[in-house]
Amino acid sequence: MTVGDIAFDALTEEEVITHVRAALDRGDGGRIITPNVDITLRAAEARGFLDDASLVVADGMPLLWAARLAGTPLPERVAGSSLIWTLSRGAGLDGRSVFLIGGTPGTAAGPALEAGCPGLVIAGHISPPFGFEHTDFYAELCARVKEAKPDIVYVGLGFPKQEHVIDRLRPDLPGAWFVGCGASVQFVAGELRRAPRWMQRSGLEWIHRLLSEPRRLAGRYLMHDLPFAIRLLSSAVRNRA
């Protein structure tokens, strides 16, 4: 099902977890991308990452609304900030390991995820410093992840940086699954608070994020993402008509 210029897999969150667990049992790795409105707006920039993805699921209520208005509904929102928990719980049932990249140094993301997901093994957690991709630390990061041999790698560095990191790691860990998950590591650690469930369900989570980080997100949300979302919905209505 296509929304904007992105083809999404029509899967529920539970189906995503089932797919990944079965693939890991077979020894098959993969990559999950969860485009929101911002990534959909930047679809041309994301094309190479999307083409490499095993699963592409919608993280954004406006994308679900647009799909429904176009007559090709997606089953539900699959947010990276939710998937990091549910996929880890599924991995814990199989005694699998995860590696976390992102967040602030010294945070409790690993212990928090481990405590909430019985059986899960935390293979490691790295909080790269700002600008690490231009330093020798990049090679050290990749070496540490490769050495840990995790089953799942969560990369929470924001788009597109996290996708470039995944591009670099994937060839060395062909049996692992990679998830670019934005602020999810910070949510797990308690560095940021996720919006209440009613805001998540009603498509208002972006307002909560905006109020939490206005200086960083105001330009992106108000000048780019919101106008694009309106155009996306209008286009869906016109195309169906």
Side-chain angles (χ1 to χ4, degrees):
M1 298 178 183
T2 301
V3 180
D5 292 324
I6 296 180
F8 288 90
D9 293 297
L11 297 174
T12 65
E13 191 165 335
E14 183 177 349
E15 288 170 337
V16 170
I17 295 161
T18 299
H19 181 98
V20 173
R21 290 177 67 189
L24 285 169
D25 284 343
R26 296 192 303 269
D28 296 336
R31 176 182 198 160
I32 300 173
I33 295 183
T34 61
N36 53 16
V37 169
D38 186 63
I39 293 176
T40 306
L41 169 61
R42 302 160 70 181
E45 180 183 354
R47 183 55 52 200
F49 310 133
L50 293 165
D51 290 345
D52 182 59
S54 310
L55 297 176
V56 180
V57 288
D59 179 0
M61 290 305 297
L63 304 181
L64 268 67
W65 296 337
R68 189 180 305 137
L69 288 170
T72 56
L74 293 165
E76 65 180 14
R77 179 188 181 197
V78 184
S81 45
S82 172
L83 194 60
I84 193 172
W85 284 106
T86 54
L87 182 56
S88 293
R89 290 189 187 105
L93 294 175
D94 303 324
R96 301 217 175 258
S97 63
V98 303
F99 200 109
L100 302 167
I101 301 175
T104 303
T107 60
L113 199 62
E114 191 173 36
C117 305
L120 187 70
V121 177
I122 304 299
H125 180 192
I126 298 177
S127 301
F130 181 78
F132 76 93
E133 65 272 25
H134 305 299
T135 71
D136 293 339
F137 188 83
Y138 202 167
E140 179 186 339
L141 181 153
C142 293
R144 286 172 60 183
V145 178
K146 180 181 177 181
E147 183 180 3
K149 298 179 181 178
D151 296 303
I152 301 171
V153 183
Y154 297 111
V155 188
L157 300 174
F159 178 87
K161 185 183 296 185
Q162 63 194 20
E163 304 303 335
H164 287 297
V165 171
I166 291 171
D167 276 352
R168 184 157 171 177
L169 289 170
R170 278 202 74 186
D172 291 326
L173 294 166
W177 275 78
F178 293 85
V179 185
C181 58
S184 300
V185 176
Q186 292 173 288
F187 287 138
V188 170
E191 296 174 44
L192 295 174
R193 292 185 62 184
R194 196 176 176 197
R197 288 190 179 276
W198 70 267
M199 295 186 81
Q200 297 174 32
R201 291 193 297 266
S202 58
L204 297 176
E205 187 167 11
W206 68 274
I207 295 178
H208 182 273
R209 290 295 314 280
L210 177 60
L211 294 175
S212 300
E213 300 180 86
R215 294 183 63 182
R216 187 174 75 85
L217 298 175
R220 182 205 306 176
Y221 282 4
L222 299 179
M223 296 178 62
H224 302 289
D225 292 358
L226 183 57
F228 174 75
I230 294 171
R231 294 197 302 271
L232 192 68
L233 295 170
S234 299
S235 177
V237 172
R238 288 196 305 270
N239 290 342
R240 185 169 186 178

